[in-house]
């Protein structure tokens, strides 16, 4: 069977969907452009594609050795810019450029002397007189939430939950109330303790209520150089870091004692009115700003 007959039989079998068993399924491997039927020469397009790929691979290897990049740096132009040298960025790009991580933002304190930082009351100590002698043993046995150990302390320790306070009740009829967060809470707690004593059978009254001490605290939000502060205000300060980590500042007017810590925390104590704590902090805050520690 010649070559033309084989080709005709193959085409006929493919059209009918059957395979001719007389035809071999594969041809033995022969070298390129040799054998009984020489292969046609490759077209110019294929050769040009191969040459382009080889050139690209050579360029990539050369650039990898030299460390240069292929693409040139891109410059973004405005859409309505007529001059190609104009590199003005569009407005939407300015918004993202203003707050980049490389933008230097100066450290400015947002603390205000009068409004932003307000000392918060942490404890109020008040005293009251019930006006009669008290049997502490009877109170300790009959009342709830009481402690009485005369060998350790000569007073009954009584506690209530609302307001959350503690009272020291003495046999003379004097009482000390601690733990309240405001003047109203301290007065309400003292009246409740007096009422409890009345219910136990004592002729108790509510007399001579007075706030003896108020404690407030605040944070100035910056570290403080305590060594420089004690050198400049040595007549008002005492600072012994080996004994106590805070600086003790005794203000004369108002008569308030301040505990100043290097972290910026300030404790104010010794006031009998809320306004004294606020005034003392207004006086000390400009001084603390002058001794702000550089971070």
């Amino acid at each position: 069977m010649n070559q033309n007959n084989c080709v005709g039989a193959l085409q006929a079998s493919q059209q009918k969907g059957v395979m001719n068993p007389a035809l071999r399924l594969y041809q033995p491997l022969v070298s390129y452009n040799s054998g009984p039927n020489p292969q046609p020469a490759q077209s110019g397009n294929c050769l040009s594609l191969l040459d382009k790929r080889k050139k690209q691979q050579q360029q990539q290897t050369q650039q990898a050795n030299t460390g240069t990049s292929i693409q040139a740096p891109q410059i973004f132009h405005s859409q309505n810019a007529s001059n190609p040298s104009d590199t003005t960025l569009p407005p939407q790009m300015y918004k993202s450029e203003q707050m980049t991580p490389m933008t230097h933002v100066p450290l400015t304190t947002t603390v205000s002397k009068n409004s932003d930082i307000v000392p918060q009351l942490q404890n109020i100590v008040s005293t009251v007189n019930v006006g009669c002698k008290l049997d502490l043993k009877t109170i300790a046995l009959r009342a709830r939430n009481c402690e009485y150990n005369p060998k350790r302390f000569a007073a009954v320790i009584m506690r209530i939950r609302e307001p959350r306070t503690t009272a020291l009740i003495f046999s003379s009829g004097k009482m000390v109330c601690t733990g309240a967060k405001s003047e109203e809470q301290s007065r309400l707690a003292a009246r409740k303790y007096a009422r409890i004593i009345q219910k136990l059978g004592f002729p108790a009254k509510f007399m001579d209520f007075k706030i003896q001490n108020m404690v407030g605290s605040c944070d100035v939000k910056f570290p403080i150089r305590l060594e420089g502060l004690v050198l400049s205000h040595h007549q008002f300060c005492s600072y012994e870091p080996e004994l106590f980590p805070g600086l003790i500042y005794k203000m004369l007017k108002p008569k308030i004692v301040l505990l100043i810590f290097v972290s910026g925390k300030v404790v104010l104590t010794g006031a009998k009115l809320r306004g004294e704590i606020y005034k003392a902090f207004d006086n000390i805050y400009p001084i603390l700003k002058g001794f702000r520690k550089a971070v």
Side-chain angles (χ1 to χ4, degrees):
M1 185 182 292
N2 55 14
Q3 183 177 2
N4 295 328
N5 294 333
C6 293
V7 173
L10 178 60
Q11 292 176 354
S13 62
Q14 289 177 353
Q15 291 175 359
K16 295 179 181 180
V18 297
M19 184 176 289
N20 190 357
L23 296 176
R24 288 187 296 180
L25 298 178
Y26 63 92
Q27 289 286 348
L29 297 175
V30 294
S31 60
Y32 177 75
N33 209 7
S34 64
N37 297 322
Q39 300 292 332
Q42 294 182 354
S43 63
N45 295 332
C46 297
L47 293 175
S48 62
L49 291 174
L50 291 174
D51 294 339
K52 289 181 180 179
R53 291 181 181 177
K54 288 181 181 180
K55 290 180 181 180
Q56 290 179 358
Q57 291 178 359
Q58 291 176 0
Q59 290 177 359
Q60 291 178 358
T61 54
Q62 291 177 0
Q63 290 164 358
N65 294 331
T66 57
T68 59
S69 60
I70 300 173
Q71 298 178 355
Q74 297 180 357
I75 300 176
F76 297 94
H77 300 281
S78 177
Q79 294 179 357
N80 55 1
S82 60
N83 186 8
S85 63
D86 186 10
T87 59
T88 304
L89 297 177
Q92 61 268 22
M93 297 190 68
Y94 279 115
K95 294 180 181 179
S96 61
E97 290 287 338
Q98 289 177 356
M99 292 304 294
T100 55
M102 298 300 294
T103 304
H104 175 69
V105 180
L107 293 175
T108 57
T109 176
T110 59
V111 175
S112 175
K113 179 179 176 181
N114 298 320
S115 60
D116 288 348
I117 299 181
V118 178
Q120 300 296 322
L121 294 180
Q122 302 296 334
N123 186 25
I124 294 178
V125 180
S126 61
T127 57
V128 68
N129 187 4
V130 297
C132 64
K133 298 292 184 179
L134 301 176
D135 185 1
L136 300 184
K137 187 175 181 180
T138 302
I139 295 174
L141 291 175
R142 296 180 60 185
R144 296 179 180 179
N145 301 320
C146 290
E147 299 177 14
Y148 180 50
N149 189 352
K151 293 182 179 180
R152 295 183 58 186
F153 188 58
V156 171
I157 303 172
M158 186 183 296
R159 294 181 177 88
I160 58 175
R161 294 182 178 177
E162 186 61 36
R164 195 177 186 88
T165 54
T166 302
L168 306 178
I169 303 172
F170 295 88
S171 60
S172 62
K174 300 290 180 67
M175 185 168 55
V176 179
C177 180
T178 64
K181 301 290 185 180
S182 66
E183 300 91 328
E184 295 79 10
Q185 288 186 1
S186 181
R187 188 178 187 89
L188 177 60
R191 292 188 69 89
K192 285 188 175 183
Y193 289 120
R195 183 61 177 167
I196 291 172
I197 295 173
Q198 279 184 348
K199 289 183 177 181
L200 294 178
F202 298 95
K205 299 178 183 179
F206 190 81
M207 302 164 51
D208 303 332
F209 176 81
K210 186 178 181 181
I211 293 177
Q212 301 292 341
N213 186 22
M214 302 178 74
V215 180
S217 65
C218 61
D219 187 2
V220 297
K221 306 293 180 61
F222 55 82
I224 302 168
R225 293 186 295 109
L226 299 182
E227 294 82 1
L229 180 58
V230 72
L231 290 176
S232 300
H233 297 76
H234 58 88
Q235 65 272 25
F236 307 109
C237 299
S238 63
Y239 180 49
E240 295 291 339
E242 295 179 356
L243 302 178
F244 183 67
L247 183 145
I248 302 172
Y249 192 102
K250 295 181 180 180
M251 191 174 292
L252 298 180
K253 189 177 180 180
K255 194 173 182 180
I256 302 293
V257 178
L258 299 94
L259 305 178
I260 305 169
F261 297 89
V262 68
S263 62
K265 301 289 195 305
V266 179
V267 179
L268 304 95
T269 184
K272 289 182 168 52
L273 298 173
R274 185 189 292 258
E276 293 179 352
I277 289 182
Y278 296 157
K279 186 176 181 181
F281 179 73
D282 289 343
N283 293 341
I284 199 66
Y285 184 71
I287 299 173
L288 298 181
K289 285 179 66 177
F291 293 94
R292 179 173 181 172
K293 183 183 291 187
V295 179

